[in-house]
Structures are given as C-alpha cells and as structure tokens.
Amino acid sequence: MKKRPLGQNFLVNADIAQRIVQLARIQPDEPVVEIGPGKGILTRLLMQQASSLTAIELDPRLCRDLQNRFGDGDGGDGDASSFKLIEGDAAKFDYGSLGAGLNVVANLPYYAATHIMKKLIHYRKHIRCMTLMLQKEVAERLTAQPGQRAYGSLSVYVQYHCEVRRLLEVSAAAFSPQPKINSSLIAVTPLPQPKVQVEDPKLFFKMVHSAFFHKRKMLKNNLQDWKHLFREENGSTRLARIDLNRRGETLSLHEFADLANYLHAQNG
Ligand code: SAM
C-alpha cells in the first residue's frame, strides 16, 4: 500500500456512510462538527440532517473542492447558510470556539486518530457525543477492560472521562485506497463527572502511566516512585490494599482511583 501522507483512505461504501450518519443520532438544531471531510461522502449526508455543520479539513486542495460543492454559490450539494469549512489541523483546533452541545462525526485519519480524539476529550464540556471511525486496534484499546490484552493507560484515560461503545466493524474494502487494516466505528460520550472520584487527577494519571510503563512487569517494579509507601502484609508487598505482585493491566478504574487517593492522602 502506498503511504497516505494525511491518512487519506476515503470511505467509498455508501451503505456504511448512511449507517454512520444514522448512528450519530443527530438531534434537531444540534451543531454538528465533521473532522476530515475529505471528498465529502459523510458531509453530504450530514448536511441533509444537521441544521449547522462545521467541517475541519487540513488538505487545502480538498478544502477548495468542498467549498465549491457545499459552500456558497449555486449548484452545490448543500445549504450554504449551514455549512462552515475550516482549513486547519483538527488536533490543534479550539473546539470551545464552536459553542456547546456539539455532535462530532469523523472518519479519522489513522496517523492522528488518537491525538485528535484526546484533543476532543480535552474539550469534552463542549461535546454531547462523538461518533468516530478509527483503526480497529485503537478501538480495542479504547474499549478494553481489565485483564484484556489491549487494556492500558489509553483505556483508563478515555474511560475515566467518557463512555465508549463499539458500534460497527468496517473492513478495509470499504475504503479507497484500501488500507491494510480494518476499522471500527465507536461512540464516545463524555460523562458529566469522571467515572471514579479522584482527589488529584494529575497524580492519578501519573500513577496510571507508571503502572503501565513496563506492561509485563509487576506493580512493585513500575511504582518505584512510591516505594517508601510500600508495606509488607501477609507475605506480599502492598500499597493501600493493592497487592503489588499484580500487573497494572489487572486493575480496574476504581482500584486505580483507590491507589491514587491513598497516595494523595499520604502527600504522595
Ligand atoms: N471523511 C472522509 C471519508 O470518510 O471518506 C475522509 C476520511 S480520511 C480517513 C481522513 C481525512 O482527514 C482526509 O480528508 C485528510 O485530508 C483529513 N486530515 C488528515 N489530517 C488531518 C488533520 N490533522 N486535521 C484535519 N483533517 C485532517
């Protein structure tokens, strides 16, 4: 496969495009944001449903075509008053500038999918829901539960802030040019409050990051920064009530929160 510099694997399956827009459950009067509209297969369908659509595309050449097709001027596919095209990088965009209650829909470029999603989560207070297509392996990490191979710090980060659900599996054949990997469509819905109560989120994420640093190692190796708080109990090394012979990949969000809150209480 020729490498696509901007992750330009365009969706060419009209049924899947329809399904994605249905699954985005666009509400009347809801502001919709599309990331990476590309050649507009989703854009056209979103324009039929959304009262206002803001599309963010990095490639200037595609922007010209999109503007001609959906922007002002006649003969286009859309309603000019409701379409706004922003030429720019979706990983650097200030989504707060678009107001609140955003419904974000995107077939994300593979190379930047995680980066863009983290940016969207940063702006979660402005977002009602996201329907995102990304590489299957990333979707597995985002939805992974403790004990599963794909479970890691990305799973904890996203599940702390959002509810994540797999919606649809999409094979490589639905794209042109065809990538070597399959894709998944996921729903990411920001939670009104984080999933677990954490006194010091910075400390929580620092500890989670450390816990997964060497994935195959036990917590007692990965959490050496807090060694002074380890205790020997019933023949095992513990921190709070957690047995440090366990690996990070077995800990639930609640257990990570208990650990972090204990460290915080000890001025960790
Ligand atoms: N939505 C179209 C579709 O479904 O066929 C295109 C999807 S394609 C996988 C990703 C699109 O994102 C391309 O149009 C690409 O130019 C654009 N893109 C790549 N990097 C971007 C970035 N950092 N910010 C905004 N758009 C980007």
Side-chain angles (χ1 to χ4, degrees):
M1 184 190 76
K2 194 169 157 231
K3 207 157 182 247
R4 312 306 300 178
L6 288 177
Q8 291 177 338
N9 301 95
F10 298 106
L11 183 65
V12 288
N13 182 316
D15 293 339
I16 291 177
Q18 283 277 4
R19 194 79 190 102
I20 292 172
V21 174
Q22 268 169 13
L23 287 165
R25 295 171 184 276
I26 295 164
Q27 306 294 308
D29 297 330
E30 182 172 64
V32 177
V33 178
E34 187 189 3
I35 295 170
K39 294 186 177 174
I41 187 168
L42 296 173
T43 321
R44 188 177 67 82
L45 299 173
L46 291 169
M47 289 285 281
Q48 290 166 3
Q49 304 243 335
S51 57
S52 84
L53 176 66
T54 303
I56 306 167
E57 171 61 58
L58 189 56
D59 184 334
R61 194 176 38 96
L62 291 174
C63 281
R64 269 199 306 279
D65 295 346
L66 287 159
Q67 191 60 42
N68 285 338
R69 186 166 161 203
F70 299 107
D72 41 11
D74 30 56
D77 264 345
D79 163 8
S81 62
S82 66
F83 181 71
K84 186 173 168 203
L85 179 64
I86 295 170
E87 186 180 321
D89 184 347
K92 296 195 179 134
F93 188 70
D94 171 10
Y95 294 90
S97 67
L98 300 179
L102 307 174
N103 185 334
V104 180
V105 183
N107 172 15
L108 290 171
Y110 294 131
Y111 82 98
T114 310
H115 211 55
I116 294 173
M117 194 195 55
K118 281 187 173 171
K119 188 71 168 184
L120 290 165
I121 291 176
H122 176 79
Y123 284 99
R124 62 192 174 277
K125 299 276 182 250
H126 296 265
I127 294 174
R128 183 179 75 78
C129 60
M130 307 174 227
T131 307
L132 308 176
M133 179 118 80
L134 29 70
Q135 130 183 32
K136 183 177 179 178
E137 179 261 331
V138 176
E140 278 164 0
R141 287 164 60 201
L142 298 175
T143 51
Q145 297 300 307
Q148 294 181 337
R149 252 165 59 94
Y151 187 64
S153 50
L154 184 66
S155 329
V156 173
Y157 174 74
V158 175
Q159 293 172 29
Y160 174 82
H161 290 300
C162 303
E163 192 214 46
V164 193
R165 278 185 305 125
R166 297 273 276 275
L167 296 174
L168 197 65
E169 304 307 314
V170 182
S171 86
F175 301 89
S176 174
Q178 201 166 311
K180 282 206 175 117
I181 45 180
N182 293 322
S183 295
S184 301
L185 185 74
I186 58 168
V188 182
T189 311
L191 296 166
Q193 300 296 333
K195 183 78 148 276
V196 287
Q197 203 190 329
V198 165
E199 300 302 329
D200 180 347
K202 230 173 143 176
L203 176 63
F204 172 79
F205 286 115
K206 182 178 170 207
M207 190 269 300
V208 169
H209 185 75
S210 302
F212 286 106
F213 195 71
H214 297 287
K215 244 197 132 184
R216 307 306 302 163
K217 287 200 173 170
M218 290 184 277
L219 287 167
K220 67 178 164 203
N221 299 111
N222 281 335
L223 298 182
Q224 283 289 308
D225 279 0
W226 296 280
K227 196 175 176 200
H228 57 290
L229 297 172
F230 291 3
R231 297 281 173 266
E232 292 301 322
E233 254 177 63
N234 304 329
S236 63
T237 311
R238 288 176 188 267
L239 182 59
R241 56 183 181 83
I242 305 289
D243 181 347
L244 297 181
N245 285 332
R246 291 171 62 185
R247 294 198 185 105
E249 65 193 18
T250 69
L251 261 62
S252 68
L253 249 69
H254 283 97
E255 288 177 310
F256 277 122
D258 286 350
L259 265 187
N261 289 338
Y262 177 79
L263 299 180
H264 176 73
Q266 307 294 320
N267 291 319

